Amino acid sequence: PVHRVILAACSDYFRCMFTSGMKECGQPSVSLPSLSAPELETLIKCSYSGALALSWSCVFETTSTALQLQHLPALRLGLDFMRREMNPLSCLDVASFAEAYALAELLDASHDYVLRQFQKVASTSKFKDLPAEQLLRYLSSHSLCVPSELAVFKAVVAWIQRMPKKRRKLAKELMKTIHFPLMTYKEFREVQAVEMWSDPGLQELYKTIFEDFCGSDAAPQIQYRTYLPKESLVVIGGEQTFEDLGSRRISRELWFANSIRHHTGIKKATEWRRLAEMPDQGRFCHQVAVLKGQLYVFGGKKYYGTNDTLNSVYRYDPLQHRWQNLAPMQEKRCSFSAVVLDGRIYVIGGHSDPDNIESVERYCPLANTWSFTSPLDLPLSAHAASVLHGQVFVSGGLSDHFRCLASTFLYQPQTGSAYLADMVQPRAQHCMEVLGEHLYVAGGVTTDHSAAPFDLLACEMYHPMADCWTAIASLPVPHVGAGSAVLEGKFYMLGGYSQEDYSNTPMVHRYDPAAQSWEN
């Protein structure tokens, strides 16, 4: 037995059945021959509890039934499960399901997953059953994320060899999507070793591919593979030292990374495009934060004097291409950190001429107001802060005596600081980001016994469960005072300078935790 009102509240199908004068309105029992008993029992339980026990073995049947009955709570839970739990083995099934039921958002999410995780998806048996048209769409997409052209080639060969007699006639069209000139000689030797080329019908195609690889006059469109990330890197303001080291320029410009270009071998380049200009003067040693798709810019310095520190705040809406001047911070500050926590923005410590400061301020976007929260234990500048599992972690920085610190602590707005294990090396003017379950720090400077700062290339990773730091691969060049971000599971370091000679570092490096290495 089940309450009609419960079913009617959850399902458009039952609401129509029980409230529209249909004959079922007065029947003590209703027959539903198109549904199995377990499926209906699952939806009835969901109607009462609002929960579903889902797994990949049942989610498609359950969601299909929810669609048939327009049972919105179960439908929402089923679709959420597919998006959240999608993996290389299930993503193509999700795409097929979404296409069959015209679920546009789920279909986009599944295609996006395939393109981002292409190498892993291509190793599954289901990939080899893809229709040729769909495979070509994936291979031709600018959202295809692959470590090298060899990964694309191996995927194509595996797909052809599933049904070689039928699919080898498509080899020429599929091979056109592979940029062979971008391969290294070692990678191309793997291409040459493929058994498929022994087929007389493919020898002419191999000759064309070999000439393509050896040719030095590659067409512009195949000199690199363009990858358009779903998210964007944006750089804001900062300062630039000219090559003669005799002059500097303070910027008010915003630039974004429009695409990443994969050139020969491991060589990559970022295509930068100008986005906008800040409405006020340029600034450096400032902070930025992103909240609900809006870009916030805080404080910093407008010049190199003792009274040039700012407390002004601006918000940029990239969709409307519009700036808004917000309430200023209560204290002027530069060389501080900013984090987003529970819909609020916290600015932590920093330098306010002539000293470092320990104050922390919280910004409420709805009220456009600032309020002080618990201060730090000591004045601190040039540190880094990130949020992991709803907690604010702060690392390193400069003490009031301008010595680099190795300390790490949790900052709690109500109670202040709780100290954790020290980093392996003291550092300041560094970057810290969250990847998975760990914190990563990179770049910056450290100090010796004489308190003289020098470039620090060593990088570290923090394990919150074990409360310990371990070394990871070092940076190849200095990144002091750099910007940083996490994009698609990789830690990006952007720009900065070298403490040794004050020269710019006009480079982007990214750390891949899977490969445990930095890419230029």
Side-chain angles (χ1 to χ4, degrees):
V2 61
H3 298 89
R4 295 170 190 255
V5 66
I6 297 295
L7 290 181
C10 295
S11 163
D12 291 347
Y13 177 90
F14 287 117
R15 184 181 304 114
C16 183
M17 178 182 287
F18 295 138
T19 64
S20 302
M22 300 177 71
K23 66 178 182 178
E24 287 85 357
C25 290
Q27 292 179 340
S29 63
V30 177
S31 176
L32 298 168
S34 63
L35 296 179
S36 69
E39 290 174 0
L40 186 57
E41 183 181 11
T42 298
L43 293 189
I44 290 172
K45 288 181 177 179
C46 179
S47 299
Y48 282 92
S49 68
L52 272 178
L54 292 172
S55 66
W56 285 113
S57 63
C58 69
V59 67
F60 295 113
E61 287 184 3
T62 302
T63 308
S64 176
T65 305
L67 276 164
Q68 181 182 341
L69 300 180
Q70 288 298 292
H71 192 291
L72 298 184
L75 177 59
R76 191 178 303 114
L77 291 169
L79 297 179
D80 286 347
F81 176 89
M82 291 185 211
R83 280 190 287 262
R84 186 179 66 252
E85 302 296 330
M86 202 179 305
N87 60 54
L89 292 172
S90 65
C91 59
L92 294 174
D93 287 335
V94 173
S96 299
F97 180 86
E99 189 169 13
Y101 288 97
L103 300 169
E105 289 186 11
L106 183 63
L107 184 61
D108 288 344
S110 60
H111 286 333
D112 181 57
Y113 185 92
V114 173
L115 291 166
R116 292 195 191 205
Q117 304 292 334
F118 184 80
Q119 191 171 18
K120 293 179 181 177
V121 175
S123 66
T124 66
S125 60
K126 292 175 183 177
F127 174 84
K128 300 173 182 66
D129 294 328
L130 271 177
E133 297 79 11
Q134 185 59 59
L135 176 60
L136 277 168
R137 281 197 290 270
Y138 286 143
L139 296 176
S140 304
S141 172
H142 282 322
S143 297
L144 182 65
C145 183
V146 288
S148 72
E149 295 302 307
L150 183 61
V152 186
F153 174 78
K154 287 181 176 180
V156 168
V157 170
W159 185 86
I160 291 173
Q161 290 181 335
R162 181 61 161 258
M163 292 187 283
K165 289 184 179 179
K166 179 181 177 181
R167 293 177 172 177
R168 283 187 177 182
K169 61 184 180 182
L170 298 170
K172 182 177 181 180
E173 187 175 6
L174 292 168
M175 294 295 172
K176 287 179 180 178
T177 66
I178 304 169
H179 300 348
F180 289 98
L182 305 187
M183 290 186 180
T184 63
Y185 285 102
K186 182 179 179 181
E187 288 173 332
F188 195 75
R189 281 197 292 270
E190 293 193 47
V191 173
Q192 293 175 308
V194 170
E195 178 272 337
M196 184 175 70
W197 303 126
S198 61
D199 183 338
L202 294 178
Q203 288 179 359
E204 190 64 31
L205 174 59
Y206 170 74
K207 181 181 177 182
T208 301
I209 289 171
F210 182 74
E211 291 173 352
D212 186 25
F213 172 74
C214 295
S216 58
D217 54 346
Q221 67 269 21
I222 60 171
Q223 291 176 353
Y224 51 81
R225 176 183 287 276
T226 300
Y227 172 58
L228 300 177
K230 289 291 181 181
E231 301 168 311
S232 291
L233 291 171
V234 178
V235 294
I236 304 142
E239 62 169 335
Q240 178 184 12
T241 303
F242 291 96
E243 288 186 10
D244 61 2
L245 303 183
S247 58
R248 299 176 176 178
R249 183 177 73 90
I250 301 170
S251 174
R252 54 191 288 248
E253 298 172 346
L254 278 68
W255 292 74
F256 75 101
N258 180 63
S259 65
I260 297 171
R261 293 173 174 177
H262 295 243
H263 292 260
T264 306
I266 63 171
K267 183 182 176 185
K268 298 175 176 64
T270 309
E271 180 203 6
W272 292 95
R273 293 187 181 181
R274 184 166 166 167
L275 178 63
E277 283 190 346
M278 287 184 281
D280 205 351
Q281 66 265 55
R283 62 185 68 201
F284 64 101
C285 292
H286 54 291
Q287 273 294 326
V288 298
V290 176
L291 179 60
K292 295 183 178 179
Q294 309 282 298
L295 183 63
Y296 292 77
V297 183
F298 308 95
K301 290 181 74 71
K302 64 181 179 181
Y303 203 63
Y304 305 98
T306 56
N307 296 310
D308 293 322
T309 304
L310 304 169
N311 64 346
S312 55
V313 180
Y314 289 93
R315 179 169 60 201
Y316 177 67
D317 183 340
L319 297 180
Q320 301 295 326
H321 188 52
R322 184 173 60 198
W323 287 95
Q324 185 179 359
N325 190 3
L326 303 177
M329 296 181 291
Q330 298 184 69
E331 284 197 84
K332 296 180 178 181
R333 62 183 80 218
C334 64
S335 300
F336 58 105
S337 59
V339 297
V340 176
L341 179 67
D342 298 331
R344 306 286 192 272
I345 302 174
Y346 292 79
V347 293
I348 303 168
H351 185 80
S352 184
D353 294 319
D355 301 312
N356 288 344
I357 54 176
E358 65 268 32
S359 68
V360 179
E361 297 183 51
R362 175 173 57 205
Y363 177 72
C364 175
L366 293 177
N368 188 29
T369 57
W370 289 92
S371 58
F372 285 108
T373 59
S374 296
L376 304 177
D377 286 357
L378 75 166
L380 189 65
S381 67
H383 51 288
S386 290
V387 174
L388 175 61
H389 298 318
Q391 295 182 299
V392 180
F393 290 78
V394 181
S395 66
L398 292 172
S399 70
D400 228 5
H401 302 292
F402 296 98
R403 295 191 70 92
C404 291
L405 303 174
S407 57
T408 309
F409 59 87
L410 283 173
Y411 173 75
Q412 298 165 335
Q414 292 78 27
T415 58
S417 307
Y419 281 84
L420 305 169
D422 284 354
M423 292 183 289
V424 177
Q425 291 185 280
R427 68 178 72 219
Q429 293 182 276
H430 58 293
C431 298
M432 181 167 70
E433 296 289 349
V434 174
L435 280 176
E437 299 295 312
H438 301 97
L439 292 164
Y440 291 77
V441 296
V445 296
T446 191
T447 49
D448 55 21
H449 296 297
S450 66
F454 57 92
D455 294 321
L456 183 58
L457 302 181
C459 304
E460 303 177 41
M461 175 177 67
Y462 178 70
H463 308 257
M465 295 295 291
D467 186 27
C468 68
W469 290 89
T470 57
I472 61 171
S474 297
L475 283 165
V477 297
H479 282 277
V480 180
S484 68
V486 171
L487 180 68
E488 298 180 345
K490 296 182 180 181
F491 176 9
Y492 281 74
M493 296 281 290
L494 301 99
Y497 67 95
S498 169
Q499 181 69 31
E500 182 179 345
D501 59 7
Y502 296 100
S503 61
N504 294 322
T505 302
M507 304 173 71
V508 177
H509 284 93
R510 69 180 182 188
Y511 182 76
D512 183 348
Q516 298 183 9
S517 62
W518 290 93
E519 297 176 308
N520 178 2

